[in-house]
Amino acid sequence: MAADAPPVLSLQLVEEPRLLKLKNMFISKFKTTPKFYVRAPGRVNLIGEHIDYCGYSVLPMAIDQDILIAAEPLSSPILHLANTDPSYLDFNTDANDIHIKQTKPLWHNYFLCGFKGIQDHFNLRKPSGINCLVEGTIPPSSGLSSSSALVCCAALVTLVANGKTLSKVELANLCSKSERYIGTEGGGMDQSICFLAEKGTAKLIEFNPLKATDVKLPGGAVFVIANSCVEMNKAATSHFNIRVMECRLATKLLAKSRGLDWRAVAKLQDVQTKLKLSLEEMLAVVEEAFHPEPYSLEEIGENLGISPTELRTQILSQNTQDVTNFKLYQRAKHVYAEAARVLEFKDICVRAPDDAISLLGDLMNQSHASCRDLYECSCPELDQLVDICLQFGAVGSRLTGAGWGGCTVSMVPVDKLERFLANVKEAYYRNHGQRLALEENSLFATNPGTGAVIVLEA
């Protein structure tokens, strides 16, 4: 594989009891031996929520939790998908006849997204069938990108099984597009960090073109992930796609208000680029161009000079056709302010002033307030968890991932970590039955982990 492709390791060099356990389970399941393994990590976004699909940079890091697949290419064109978690049922299908369900998708549909992405990219007429056994340690629907990690893992499995190669950047772009088969109109953050992550560093990820820059986090503090234990599946609800559409409509109206060709812009960043203004200046434009009250479909149509029907069919996505009110002011204000916070966060990490930890904490707190009040992607449990984390010593705490459930990420001074973990456990998990059951994998400190890898059987 090319130097900029995901690394390939030999099983002999990977002293990994988990891989050997997965190998034995594979042999037991399929009565044959896996030929290779693929690992793709989950991620935590430190700052920059809901702005990747608006064209703006984000600042995630990979975590140790991951999706791991043992695989064996087959001479027959059948995909056999099994999961070590018995609650995820086996699935078999013809590799030439892939159907991806968009409403309440099951786990295997995410695998099919990755498979189909490779199949379409290379125009594979006769894709190899594959035996796959999937194991995951990323809590599902927790905002740590379990679904994107599965899409990326599946794409890499399909790539290897069919003897093809792609660079990490090509894979990230391909997986970002192929996840849309399931109906999620996301940006490219999750897939990019999955392939481009490196141990020991967070990454500033920029888009168009895709580029990842190391961001060295300050010593003296660690990031702690806490799961609210409220599940949120982006593909199963319309919350996420409605926000994407609100940003798209805000883009069109902002462009029109400034005399630009609104049909030629798709993302809020496009408007900034064309107007040649700073992010701070864009916030002033938002104040001038929008009223805080929600916009009706009719009002947006009037502003753009098109009918509501044309607006629905030409701009809205399939799964947001029945939405009638859109909060454009709040969403645009969040995006431009959050994009500025990401750049400031990176700048503080580069300059490394004495008060870096407290400055970064402030930015995280501002980010959560904006997600809660302007983007409205928090929930009572996330807000409670953020408050508890700040109460027990975090310098900054915010929701991470899409929101509406999932996890928080907190910046905690190293010397306060043990007390912090004990107190948050007591305050959030111990007095609640469902949370107590999930507690074991729900609260953990994490360091920047490595990106996707391929491991070959010796």
Side-chain angles (χ1 to χ4, degrees), residues 155-436:
L156 209 42
V157 163
T158 311
L159 194 73
V160 176
N162 287 279
K164 302 293 184 186
T165 57
L166 285 172
S167 72
K168 294 177 192 176
V169 166
E170 287 169 324
L171 276 162
N173 282 323
L174 181 146
C175 289
S176 168
K177 292 190 182 80
S178 61
E179 195 163 330
R180 292 175 197 162
Y181 291 132
I182 216 155
T184 304
E185 300 266 344
M189 168 176 60
D190 300 351
Q191 301 81 5
S192 303
I193 192 65
C194 188
F195 289 110
L196 300 172
E198 290 177 86
K199 198 165 186 62
T201 179
K203 295 275 185 179
L204 178 80
I205 295 189
E206 301 166 77
F207 303 98
N208 306 313
L210 183 59
K211 182 182 163 201
T213 309
D214 290 359
V215 177
K216 192 172 183 330
L217 299 167
V222 288
F223 289 93
V224 176
I225 295 169
N227 192 346
S228 70
C229 303
V230 177
E231 288 199 357
M232 189 276 163
N233 184 334
K234 282 191 296 200
T237 66
S238 58
H239 296 314
F240 184 88
N241 286 334
I242 289 169
R243 296 301 184 279
V244 178
M245 289 309 118
E246 286 174 320
C247 290
R248 189 179 294 176
L249 293 168
T251 299
K252 305 290 187 191
L253 258 66
L254 272 184
K256 185 88 185 330
S257 77
R258 284 295 178 270
L260 301 174
D261 175 4
W262 63 266
R263 292 180 191 273
V265 290
K267 296 175 178 173
L268 285 166
Q269 192 204 28
D270 298 342
V271 183
Q272 186 198 355
T273 304
K274 286 186 182 299
L275 293 177
K276 297 185 172 67
L277 297 176
S278 68
L279 286 162
E280 288 71 20
E281 288 167 327
M282 286 309 302
L283 284 166
V285 171
V286 167
E287 295 292 343
E288 287 169 30
F290 292 129
H291 54 68
E293 298 75 33
Y295 284 71
S296 67
L297 213 58
E298 290 70 23
E299 185 179 2
I300 296 168
E302 271 172 42
N303 268 295
L304 297 178
I306 58 174
S307 71
T309 308
E310 206 180 339
L311 183 60
R312 271 202 192 91
T313 53
Q314 288 188 12
I315 301 175
L316 294 186
S317 63
Q318 201 57 47
N319 46 16
T320 54
Q321 296 285 311
D322 55 350
V323 183
T324 53
N325 282 303
F326 301 89
K327 292 189 176 180
L328 306 188
Y329 166 81
Q330 290 84 348
R331 310 315 185 221
K333 193 171 175 181
H334 165 79
V335 169
Y336 288 128
E338 185 79 348
R341 281 189 283 272
V342 170
L343 299 180
E344 200 179 334
F345 195 101
K346 182 210 173 207
D347 182 52
I348 292 165
C349 289
V350 171
R351 288 190 293 111
D354 292 343
D355 57 349
I357 289 171
S358 118
L359 292 172
L360 296 177
D362 287 346
L363 289 172
M364 292 174 73
N365 294 334
Q366 289 168 32
S367 173
H368 182 76
S370 185
C371 286
R372 180 190 65 215
D373 302 335
L374 292 174
Y375 222 74
E376 295 176 280
C377 60
S378 190
C379 66
E381 294 85 353
L382 281 172
D383 294 339
Q384 181 196 3
L385 190 47
V386 161
D387 288 344
I388 286 170
C389 290
L390 291 172
Q391 182 188 337
F392 290 118
V395 288
S397 187
R398 57 182 294 278
L399 67 82
T400 185
W404 299 286
C407 290
T408 62
V409 58
S410 301
M411 194 177 194
V412 182
V414 174
D415 57 358
K416 291 186 179 174
L417 180 61
E418 270 186 56
R419 287 291 309 279
F420 174 85
L421 293 172
N423 285 328
V424 173
K425 257 183 197 176
E426 192 63 42
Y428 189 76
Y429 298 98
R430 287 283 152 81
N431 58 1
H432 190 289
Q434 180 216 358
R435 292 177 197 164
L436 186 59

Side-chain angles (χ1 to χ4, degrees), residues 119-140:
Q119 186 182 23
D120 290 356
H121 179 82
F122 288 102
N123 199 16
L124 298 175
R125 296 274 179 231
K126 292 183 176 174
S128 170
I130 320 171
N131 282 336
C132 289
L133 181 60
V134 179
E135 189 210 23
T137 55
I138 310 167

Side-chain angles (χ1 to χ4, degrees), residues 15-34:
E15 287 302 318
E16 177 59 89
R18 196 172 147 220
L19 275 180
L20 296 175
K21 186 180 171 192
L22 188 63
K23 176 180 180 174
N24 290 331
M25 290 175 81
F26 185 99
I27 293 167
S28 168
K29 174 79 185 172
F30 294 111
K31 309 293 182 271
T32 170
T33 309

